[in-house]
Amino acid sequence: MAVPPRWRLLGRYVSIGRPNVDDMMEHFSEVWKVRTDLNIARIKNNWYAVTFFSEGDYNFVARGGPWIFKENALIVGPFKEGEQPSEAVLNSVPIWVRVYNVPWRKQTIAYGEFLAGLLGTVMEVDAEADGSRVREFLRIRVDMPLGRRLQTKITIGKDPAKQVIYPLRYERVPHYCFWCGFIGHDGNQCEKKRLGVPTRAYDEGLRCSPYRKFENR
């Protein structure tokens, strides 16, 4: 009997806790609206092999995200057949960031790429090259390193008298610590809090819902 074709991603669940795999699979089957079947198998700790039986489902999940389960992120990346488990690295999460108060004339792809590069790896800018589409914020998609705390703002310029400050908000941002601003744990689990590192006093203000086209109509 022929083996059905399959496509596979490597997944990492960014949390101190360990989720129930069956619950995770049921959740993502609905979120991803898989057309055929889905299998999520734990490899080690919070690392998983995510197997699809439809190329369309595979492509949708591989290109999307952040994928959230119980407020924490499931990061996905290529499953490299020749890679050893100890070599696997998934240390960044893709996320849409809203940059507020950007001047109309600077709401371009080029300036968005510049700002995104200050936060992580540039993925996409939701703007026009000539800046013809303007709104309250410039929307950029960034592959953001987990080893860096969430920034509340971008500051341009070294001279305090001439600095320009752009406040930030994150669409569907995973669970993050209000004490230190890192993704993947809360204040009760925060090592920096335990060591007495002063709090950065984060709150829910960095969160925002996913952008929808009709918001601009």
Side-chain angles (χ1 to χ4, degrees), residues 16-27:
I16 292 176
R18 180 179 294 183
N20 180 282
V21 176
D22 291 336
D23 290 345
M24 179 187 286
M25 194 153 52
E26 180 180 356
H27 170 80

Side-chain angles (χ1 to χ4, degrees), residues 22-57:
D22 291 336
D23 290 345
M24 179 187 286
M25 194 153 52
E26 180 180 356
H27 170 80
F28 284 120
S29 291
E30 176 61 29
V31 170
W32 296 335
K33 301 191 183 305
V34 293
R35 289 173 284 186
T36 52
D37 202 0
L38 169 70
N39 181 264
I40 298 178
R42 181 177 285 118
I43 299 173
K44 60 174 183 175
N45 298 325
N46 276 351
W47 290 78
Y48 303 86
V50 185
T51 304
F52 303 89
F53 298 87
S54 160
E55 187 175 9
D57 291 338

Side-chain angles (χ1 to χ4, degrees), residues 4-177:
R6 64 185 183 185
W7 293 262
R8 182 173 286 167
L9 291 169
L10 185 66
R12 176 189 174 190
Y13 186 64
V14 185
S15 172
I16 292 176
R18 180 179 294 183
N20 180 282
V21 176
D22 291 336
D23 290 345
M24 179 187 286
M25 194 153 52
E26 180 180 356
H27 170 80
F28 284 120
S29 291
E30 176 61 29
V31 170
W32 296 335
K33 301 191 183 305
V34 293
R35 289 173 284 186
T36 52
D37 202 0
L38 169 70
N39 181 264
I40 298 178
R42 181 177 285 118
I43 299 173
K44 60 174 183 175
N45 298 325
N46 276 351
W47 290 78
Y48 303 86
V50 185
T51 304
F52 303 89
F53 298 87
S54 160
E55 187 175 9
D57 291 338
Y58 168 88
N59 288 333
F60 173 76
V61 175
R63 295 169 183 169
W67 303 118
I68 308 298
F69 176 65
K70 295 187 180 297
E71 299 185 341
N72 293 303
L74 175 70
I75 303 173
V76 296
F79 192 98
K80 303 173 184 177
E81 297 291 344
E83 186 176 61
Q84 294 176 293
S86 60
E87 297 174 331
V89 176
L90 288 174
N91 285 334
S92 58
V93 58
I95 192 164
W96 280 103
V97 186
R98 297 184 183 187
V99 187
Y100 286 84
N101 214 29
V102 178
W104 310 122
R105 64 183 176 81
K106 289 189 174 183
Q107 293 190 19
T108 63
I109 291 176
Y111 197 63
E113 289 176 342
F114 164 71
L115 295 175
L118 300 177
L119 300 175
T121 301
V122 182
M123 298 183 71
E124 186 178 350
V125 178
D126 185 10
E128 301 296 332
D130 61 0
S132 57
R133 176 157 51 88
V134 296
R135 53 189 169 215
E136 181 187 7
F137 50 83
L138 180 58
R139 190 166 175 260
I140 56 179
R141 185 165 169 78
V142 180
D143 201 24
M144 189 168 300
L146 292 173
R148 183 185 302 176
R149 63 169 53 88
L150 293 176
Q151 292 183 215
T152 61
K153 61 189 177 182
I154 291 177
T155 302
I156 305 297
K158 296 181 179 180
D159 184 349
K162 298 179 180 179
Q163 283 180 343
V164 177
I165 296 176
Y166 300 134
L168 303 177
R169 297 184 75 190
Y170 299 82
E171 297 182 13
R172 297 180 66 246
V173 62
H175 190 54
Y176 60 93
C177 179

